[in-house]
Amino acid sequence: MEFDIEKFDTLRDYLTERGYAKSGDTISLKTLAGGVSNRTVRVAFTSGRVWVLKQALAKLRVNVDWFSSPERIVVEAKALRWLNRSAPPGTTPAFIFEDMENHLLGMEAIPEEHENWKSVLLSGKIVSDHFEQFGLLIGTIHRQSSESRPEVAKAFADTTYFKSLRLEPYYLYTAQNITAAAGFLNALARETLQHKESLVHGDFSPKNTLIYRDKLILLDYEVVHFGDPAFDIGFALTHFLSKAHHLPQARARLASAAELFWQVYYDEIMRMKWAGGLEPRVVRHTLGCLLARVAGKSPLEYLTPWERARQHDVVLALMGEPPTNIPDLIGEFVRKIETYAQN
């Protein structure tokens, strides 16, 4: 029978048998919500230690069939160990243990006084420093991994999980359902796999970012691979622009903050030899993800049906003649959203 960490009696036995807890210890367990691809449980020991356990699922918790091998936890554990060494200090939780047989990863828990950045943004609280931190964080990861290319490219060469959890459910699924975008998205998916420039997080979003004592901490590394850094930036910009769409009262501030994120990021990687050709690809990935998040397998839950329809139409219009740079993309997206709303 499959070991399920959400069955707490079984989990307590597991922790005791593995020597992580003593027999008779009081262990506080809490299921953490929010993810679709893992079971996640917070474990508080009597000693004061607090861990988070993640167990990869074979079938994701979404409304359509979406499968991925739970062996991807191997990638997540390896990525967390690398990020503990190479990302800015304090921006990732400490690695504790891995159990490949049970598709399980243990890491240090972030203190409960944290906030999820996605929730903060949806409340309308826009803090410029958070966007600067976010740009510096991913810029440092991209730069340092590129500078260590021989080691990192070999260790993270496998793109299997990126394909099954990103390219297929985002770009290729959307291409099958929206004929007008099929050529754009199929070409983008092919192009993405041709660029091997840096470590790519693959899920770089506010949802996977906690704020503790005003510092950003990055989570979720199951699709990390050596590939195209433009995907991470387009993915992040998609979340900022979708929230700008959803929150008219914060739209201008979110648009400005998205541009700040890009500027800080580019300043960090501008000396990389691949930086010169990056911006047009970031534009295309932003458009691809903006459409996929309203028409792919994982639509953004906070957008209303009307907002999804508007984002669909605006992005298709932009795909016909994509802007050449990020500031123009942000400006055109906002302008078209507002024009559409007036009609």
Side-chain angles (χ1 to χ4, degrees):
M1 182 180 296
E2 179 193 11
F3 170 47
D4 180 347
I5 64 171
E6 291 180 349
K7 296 179 179 177
F8 287 171
D9 288 342
T10 305
L11 178 55
R12 285 191 175 91
D13 291 342
Y14 171 89
L15 292 169
T16 301
E17 290 166 3
R18 295 296 175 106
Y20 299 128
K22 296 179 180 179
S23 180
D25 276 358
T26 300
I27 305 172
S28 175
L29 303 174
K30 178 184 178 182
T31 300
L32 301 179
V36 300
S37 59
N38 299 277
R39 301 184 183 106
T40 310
V41 174
R42 183 179 184 275
V43 181
F45 297 92
T46 51
S47 63
R49 294 173 299 160
V50 186
W51 295 354
V52 168
L53 306 185
K54 289 186 66 174
Q55 186 175 44
L57 295 169
K59 185 179 187 301
L60 279 66
R61 293 165 168 169
V62 293
N63 293 329
V64 296
D65 285 344
W66 185 358
F67 300 91
S68 181
S69 170
E71 292 180 3
R72 65 185 181 275
I73 201 75
V74 175
V75 174
E76 182 149 20
K78 181 167 57 177
L80 179 55
R81 291 194 298 270
W82 188 88
L83 290 167
N84 279 173
R85 300 193 308 270
S86 303
T91 57
T92 56
F95 171 85
I96 303 294
F97 76 93
E98 58 185 314
D99 176 355
M100 299 302 102
E101 180 182 357
N102 290 301
H103 310 125
L104 186 60
L105 165 66
M107 68 191 86
E108 181 182 68
I110 307 306
E112 285 195 290
E113 297 79 13
H114 69 260
E115 296 179 284
N116 181 275
W117 194 25
K118 173 183 176 180
S119 299
V120 171
L121 291 176
L122 287 173
S123 76
K125 184 179 179 182
I126 316 301
V127 180
S128 295
D129 180 63
H130 294 161
F131 289 80
E132 292 184 32
Q133 287 186 51
F134 209 49
L136 180 61
L137 171 55
I138 197 62
T140 301
I141 292 170
H142 287 173
R143 178 182 55 77
Q144 292 206 359
S145 59
S146 185
E147 291 171 348
S148 304
R149 176 186 292 265
E151 169 204 349
V152 182
K154 182 178 179 181
F156 295 96
D158 188 359
T159 57
T160 300
Y161 305 115
F162 178 66
K163 293 174 186 174
S164 66
L165 290 171
R166 289 294 170 270
L167 295 185
E168 189 282 322
Y170 284 69
Y171 294 168
L172 301 182
Y173 180 86
T174 305
Q176 290 172 3
N177 289 286
I178 301 180
T179 304
F184 183 100
L185 293 172
N186 286 323
L188 185 59
R190 289 193 300 271
E191 178 189 33
T192 304
L193 295 174
Q194 294 170 1
H195 291 276
K196 307 290 182 182
E197 312 291 3
S198 75
L199 202 68
V200 177
H201 182 273
D203 202 3
F204 193 66
S205 73
K207 175 180 72 69
N208 293 325
T209 309
L210 303 181
I211 305 173
Y212 178 63
R213 294 182 175 175
D214 219 31
K215 185 167 186 174
L216 300 191
I217 301 168
L218 181 63
L219 308 176
D220 288 356
Y221 327 101
E222 61 189 358
V223 295
V224 166
H225 64 286
F226 200 84
D228 189 356
F231 182 86
D232 275 341
I233 309 309
F235 195 85
L237 287 170
T238 289
H239 287 277
F240 300 148
L241 293 180
S242 295
K243 289 173 180 61
H245 176 188
H246 180 63
L247 301 170
Q249 73 280 7
R251 188 169 293 153
R253 288 178 291 135
L254 273 163
S256 295
E259 189 170 341
L260 176 62
F261 158 76
W262 163 251
Q263 291 169 347
V264 171
Y265 167 77
Y266 193 79
D267 286 346
E268 183 65 19
I269 58 92
M270 63 185 299
R271 292 180 178 82
M272 299 292 99
K273 63 180 182 181
W274 42 264
L278 187 71
E279 193 166 12
R281 298 206 311 277
V282 173
V283 169
R284 293 196 295 277
H285 278 294
T286 305
L287 292 173
C289 287
L290 280 167
L291 186 60
R293 295 319 297 263
V294 298
K297 286 190 176 181
S298 183
L300 292 169
E301 83 293 343
Y302 56 81
L303 294 178
T304 67
W306 189 85
E307 287 169 341
R308 291 181 189 179
R310 178 167 63 172
Q311 187 153 309
H312 166 281
D313 292 351
V314 165
V315 174
L316 282 182
L318 288 168
M319 281 181 171
E321 191 174 344
T324 58
N325 60 66
I326 300 303
D328 284 354
L329 170 65
I330 293 170
E332 279 295 294
F333 178 81
V334 169
R335 184 183 67 79
K336 288 183 180 297
I337 286 291
E338 292 181 341
T339 301
Y340 192 108
Q342 293 166 7
N343 294 334

